[in-house]
Amino acid sequence: MADVFNPAQRSAILHVSSPLLVLAGAGSGKTRVLTHKIVHLLRQQHIQPNHIFAVTFTNKASREMRERLKDLLAPEIVRALHISTFHTLGLRILRESQEVFGLRPGFSIYDEADGLQLVKELMRRSYSDPGNQAEATLALINQWKQHGVTPAQALQRAENDQAYRSASIYTQYQQALRTYNAVDFDDLIVLPVWQMQADPVFATQWRSRVHHLLVDEYQDTNLSQYELIKQLVQSHLGLSVVGDDDQSIYAWRGARPENLGQLNDDFPNLQVIKLEQNYRSTSRILNVANALIRNNPHVFEKRLWSALGGGEAVKIFACRDEQHEAEKVVSELLHHKFSKATRFGDYAILYRGNHQSRLFERVLRENNIPYYLSGSLSFFSYAEIKDLLAYLRLICNPQDDNAFVRIINTPRREIGASTVQKLAEFAAKQGLSLFDAIDTLALPEHLPTRAVQNLREFHQWLNRFSQQISATSPDEILKKLLNELNYAQWLQDSSPDEANATRKNDNVTDLLDWFARLTRHEPDADLATLLAKLALQERLEREDNNDPGDRANLMTLHAAKGLEFPHVYLVGWEENLLPHRNNIESDNIEEERRLAYVGITRAQHTLTITYSTSRRRFGETEECTPSRFLEELPKEDINWVKGDADIPVEERQQRGAAHLQHIRAMLNK
């Protein structure tokens, strides 16, 4: 073991005399420590595998732990270990004691969509016009459960009418779940916690089964998850948790980095071991990360270091606007790839919000650079984009039944699901498409007069559009479509809040810009041709969705946690973006700084940070202030590039050669 692990890792693996907190910095080998600690517990401490429980936050992390253990242990031993997510562990507790929780065999687990539908129905029953409050109410119910708050406690603590109404719906929601023999995801944790708190015998039964509990990513636990840990190991020493308060970036879903400090109070004999040697990044990247995160308060201080050498200085680029930023990053990526003979898959572009991906997608496409979009929807997956493309498909091909069904009541035309179902039955008997069936003489015999009138008004409207295809450019058709549908107003009226409506309208504007570009690049292409090209592109992206392959990576900072890339671009480092406006207003800069820290520590060899001096927001161009975090970085480890004039002549010549090489490569495909 002396040759394989550094001293801190070895100590963490061997320590069993008291509860243990392993403060594991980014890239410090925490997963190896966890897996080898399990081996040590089995071989040297002689704990039976069925008494060892390891808990993670994602199925991916659980699978990775199992795969590593398969290389170290016999298959039957690995199978006997309890390695799972928190929610899987909670589900096991519920299933093994269904009657205790008032559940019957085959109980259902409601996902977010199921829960939202139930809340909407309950609010309709209790309040004739709940407005767009269902999502906010469900979010509050989830928050209460994550904090271990019961429906009765929520009612008792309500300080105003709105809080009381939400708490009342919470009570009805839990009653309805019981009636439907169902639980939701938060119930998987909080129901076992409540039962163990109320029933000491039940708690003792489970504690007798857990001889050692290992918890990964402990800083991401919420109050209910922490309470479950305490209940399971309350009376013995078998607890090892691995975490890093500097990488706690999920406060918005209930995570509490304070739980790390709480361990000291609940387990006075807690042993703390720090893993500070980083095996991922160069020293200059770590210097930048350490300098930034030093500005946050810490219960436990640590400083990452590396034996991988100094490496290149971190580059910071100032850009004119978001368009220039996207073009600059892609240009830098291309130059670096062709000058260093790397792979596209070696690069990652990381951003604060999903909406930032759109321009990068566009510029990457224009340069024929393959990319993999992770942690967010592809541009073509947004509902408003799918709706508009369905309209265009139907205009080109009125026999497209799938497109017809998608848009027939979007925006609303008082054509409900039952009308569409009856129309479909009639069309099937006649052997016609849905669109063609509308114009038949026999339709009024099968549908009410009002429904027939609404359908035929739609039929006439679409026919008029179809007749304009040959004489109108594709982008003009899309403009006319948006105007006649009054689509922007419909998005405004149907969105739960202003931010959601703005995001959707921005997507529509991007689609319009995209069509304008395609029309300019291919002036002879008609609408059907452009739609076919886009559809093929979307299909290939969906088929490759689970295999990044040799493609540049696009993802949010949240989605990047736990990953690493040779070359990283962190974009949009501006006030109100990173740090985000919401966390500035709520005085939660520490969470934003941790998010920036996570981004920095994804980089192995090179790191580039960019910001724009202006950016479009809500349709208006605003001046931007560089992120306060940039001023916290050590000047000796950064290279601040204000413009192309700051790039050496030799490098500019290399860029020209790389660009020419890229063009040749495209032509030779």
Side-chain angles (χ1 to χ4, degrees):
M1 188 174 287
D3 297 329
V4 178
F5 299 97
N6 65 43
Q9 290 174 329
R10 187 165 59 253
S11 296
I13 291 169
L14 299 178
H15 183 85
V16 293
S17 59
S18 69
L20 172 68
L21 165 61
V22 181
L23 201 66
S28 60
K30 69 178 179 66
T31 305
R32 287 183 68 235
V33 168
L34 278 171
T35 51
H36 281 82
K37 176 138 198 172
I38 290 173
V39 174
H40 175 71
L41 292 170
L42 290 164
R43 292 177 177 170
Q44 275 68 48
Q45 300 301 314
H46 307 295
I47 298 178
Q48 293 301 307
N50 62 314
H51 289 305
I52 296 176
F53 287 69
V55 182
T56 69
F57 273 85
T58 66
N59 289 322
K60 179 181 177 182
S62 294
R63 286 194 299 269
E64 181 182 356
M65 191 178 295
R66 279 193 179 279
E67 289 304 314
R68 293 198 186 197
L69 285 167
K70 285 178 182 178
D71 295 332
L72 303 170
L73 299 167
E76 63 273 14
I77 294 178
V78 176
R79 285 194 296 271
L81 294 166
H82 302 295
I83 302 172
S84 69
T85 65
F86 267 104
H87 289 94
T88 304
L89 174 60
L91 177 60
R92 177 175 186 168
I93 295 172
L94 293 184
R95 280 181 171 162
E96 291 189 13
S97 307
Q98 294 177 81
E99 67 288 347
V100 171
F101 296 97
L103 295 169
R104 301 182 296 280
F107 64 86
S108 300
I109 301 174
Y110 274 28
D111 63 15
E112 193 78 8
D114 296 324
L116 182 59
Q117 188 60 40
L118 177 54
V119 169
K120 286 180 177 178
E121 178 58 32
L122 294 172
M123 294 187 79
R124 274 195 293 269
R125 293 179 196 169
S126 299
Y127 313 101
S128 58
D129 182 19
N132 293 318
Q133 295 300 309
E135 289 187 3
T137 300
L138 180 60
L140 190 54
I141 291 172
N142 293 340
Q143 187 179 86
W144 276 323
K145 291 186 180 184
Q146 290 161 10
H147 285 76
V149 178
T150 66
Q153 290 170 335
L155 281 168
Q156 187 178 11
R157 298 175 188 179
E159 297 179 350
N160 53 52
D161 289 343
Q162 184 174 356
Y164 184 85
R165 183 159 71 172
S166 296
S168 175
I169 293 296
Y170 181 18
T171 302
Q172 296 176 48
Y173 178 78
Q174 289 302 101
Q175 292 170 345
L177 286 175
R178 180 66 63 89
T179 300
Y180 300 153
N181 193 34
V183 296
D184 65 17
F185 279 104
D186 287 317
D187 282 336
L188 298 178
I189 306 297
V190 79
L191 292 182
V193 167
W194 288 338
Q195 187 62 34
M196 289 180 185
Q197 290 171 336
D199 185 351
V201 174
F202 180 78
T204 300
Q205 289 172 348
W206 270 94
R207 287 175 200 144
S208 67
R209 298 172 63 173
V210 183
H211 291 190
H212 203 101
L213 175 65
L214 303 98
V215 184
D216 192 15
E217 303 287 5
Y218 182 75
Q219 76 282 349
D220 292 335
T221 54
N222 59 39
L223 280 175
S224 288
Q225 289 162 337
Y226 180 46
E227 185 62 30
L228 180 61
I229 292 168
K230 282 174 55 182
Q231 290 293 331
L232 289 173
V233 299
Q234 194 176 66
S235 59
H236 57 81
L237 306 177
L239 174 66
S240 298
V241 306
V242 178
D244 180 7
D245 52 345
D246 291 334
Q247 295 188 74
S248 181
I249 58 174
Y250 297 113
W252 49 275
R253 69 182 190 198
R256 287 170 45 88
E258 301 95 319
N259 287 348
L260 284 165
Q262 188 65 34
L263 280 169
N264 263 332
D265 298 329
D266 293 329
F267 300 95
N269 56 343
L270 180 73
Q271 176 73 22
V272 180
I273 297 175
K274 301 177 185 179
L275 303 185
E276 298 174 294
Q277 183 174 357
N278 176 284
Y279 294 91
R280 174 187 299 160
S281 308
T282 62
S283 293
R284 297 186 89 169
I285 291 173
L286 295 181
N287 290 344
V288 169
N290 287 329
L292 176 70
I293 206 64
R294 195 181 302 127
N295 293 280
N296 271 8
H298 291 86
V299 177
F300 306 102
E301 295 289 341
K302 71 176 185 307
R303 182 178 179 83
L304 296 179
W305 62 276
S306 172
L308 300 177
E312 297 182 21
V314 173
K315 289 182 180 179
I316 300 177
F317 281 99
C319 305
R320 293 188 302 275
D321 53 32
E322 65 267 39
Q323 179 69 38
H324 180 223
E325 180 181 50
E327 292 169 350
K328 185 69 176 175
V329 167
V330 172
S331 172
E332 288 289 317
L333 188 157
L334 273 175
H335 159 66
H336 193 272
K337 180 190 185 304
F338 284 101
S339 60
K340 304 296 184 183
T342 56
R343 301 167 62 253
F344 283 120
D346 292 337
Y347 298 87
I349 301 171
L350 310 182
Y351 36 80
R352 178 64 174 83
N354 286 325
H355 67 279
Q356 291 172 264
S357 70
R358 293 193 301 265
L359 279 176
F360 291 97
E361 285 190 80
R362 178 191 297 169
V363 177
L364 289 167
R365 288 177 190 273
E366 289 174 352
N367 284 274
N368 282 346
I369 297 175
Y371 68 88
Y372 173 70
L373 189 70
S374 174
S376 64
L377 289 173
S378 167
F379 179 73
F380 293 111
S381 297
Y382 286 107
E384 59 274 14
I385 301 304
K386 294 175 81 73
D387 288 343
L388 290 172
L389 291 178
Y391 265 108
L392 295 175
R393 281 165 41 204
L394 197 61
I395 289 169
C396 290
N397 176 21
Q399 280 68 48
D400 187 335
D401 279 0
N402 285 341
F404 181 99
V405 171
R406 182 172 186 93
I407 57 86
I408 185 59
N409 206 35
T410 304
R412 296 183 184 89
R413 298 185 176 86
E414 297 181 7
I415 300 173
S418 62
T419 296
V420 175
Q421 180 63 36
K422 291 176 182 176
L423 175 65
E425 292 170 358
F426 172 73
K429 289 179 182 178
Q430 302 297 316
L432 299 171
S433 69
L434 296 173
F435 185 82
D436 289 342
I438 294 173
D439 206 34
T440 59
L441 294 174
L443 184 63
E445 299 172 16
H446 300 270
L447 286 173
T449 302
R450 182 62 179 165
V452 173
Q453 181 181 339
N454 291 337
L455 286 168
R456 286 183 171 169
E457 285 176 1
F458 172 76
H459 188 277
Q460 293 166 7
W461 175 81
L462 193 74
N463 261 337
R464 191 175 74 254
F465 251 104
S466 298
Q467 293 165 7
Q468 300 175 24
I469 292 178
S470 59
T472 312
S473 65
D475 58 329
E476 287 299 321
I477 291 175
L478 180 55
K479 283 182 185 177
K480 289 184 178 182
L481 178 67
L482 292 169
N483 287 334
E484 293 206 20
L485 292 175
N486 198 10
Y487 201 68
Q489 186 61 51
W490 181 76
L491 289 178
Q492 187 76 32
D493 295 340
S494 61
S495 296
D497 53 52
E498 184 69 26
N500 186 270
T502 299
R503 192 266 301 166
K504 291 182 177 182
N505 269 309
D506 285 346
N507 284 342
V508 172
T509 300
D510 273 2
L511 182 66
L512 195 55
D513 290 343
W514 209 322
F515 264 77
R517 284 170 178 257
L518 289 172
T519 303
R520 286 198 300 271
H521 287 247
E522 300 184 50
D524 296 328
D526 60 14
L527 180 60
T529 301
L530 294 186
L531 286 173
K533 292 185 71 170
L534 290 175
L536 179 60
Q537 205 163 35
E538 181 193 12
R539 174 66 179 271
L540 291 174
E541 284 181 6
R542 281 192 283 110
E543 288 179 349
D544 292 339
N545 193 43
N546 294 321
D547 179 18
D550 186 21
R551 296 186 283 174
N553 297 274
L554 283 175
M555 65 185 69
T556 63
L557 290 165
H558 285 98
K561 186 172 179 292
L563 303 177
E564 59 186 40
F565 306 94
H567 311 287
V568 170
Y569 296 90
L570 302 179
V571 301
W573 275 47
E574 302 137 31
E575 292 292 298
N576 296 319
L577 195 51
L578 187 70
H580 194 274
R581 181 190 300 269
N582 291 345
N583 276 337
I584 292 176
E585 293 174 351
S586 61
D587 195 25
N588 195 13
I589 297 299
E590 293 169 13
E591 171 106 350
E592 294 293 302
R593 189 176 284 111
R594 291 194 292 267
L595 193 55
Y597 173 84
V598 165
I600 292 170
T601 54
R602 300 311 95 196
Q604 295 173 293
H605 305 311
T606 69
L607 175 65
T608 301
I609 300 173
T610 66
Y611 68 92
S612 296
T613 56
S614 68
R615 190 177 290 271
R616 286 182 64 81
R617 179 178 170 80
F618 301 125
E620 301 290 334
T621 299
E622 293 183 356
E623 297 299 313
C624 299
T625 302
S627 172
R628 68 190 71 186
F629 299 150
L630 293 173
E631 294 300 321
E632 298 175 2
L633 307 184
K635 293 179 174 54
E636 62 272 18
D637 291 303
I638 62 175
N639 176 18
W640 203 300
V641 183
K642 296 293 179 67
D644 290 342
D646 294 344
I647 301 173
V649 173
E650 181 180 353
E651 185 173 334
R652 288 205 296 271
Q653 291 172 343
Q654 290 176 353
R655 290 170 188 272
H659 184 63
L660 182 60
Q661 184 179 352
H662 177 59
I663 291 173
R664 287 172 177 163
M666 289 167 56
L667 292 173
N668 290 331
K669 282 186 176 181

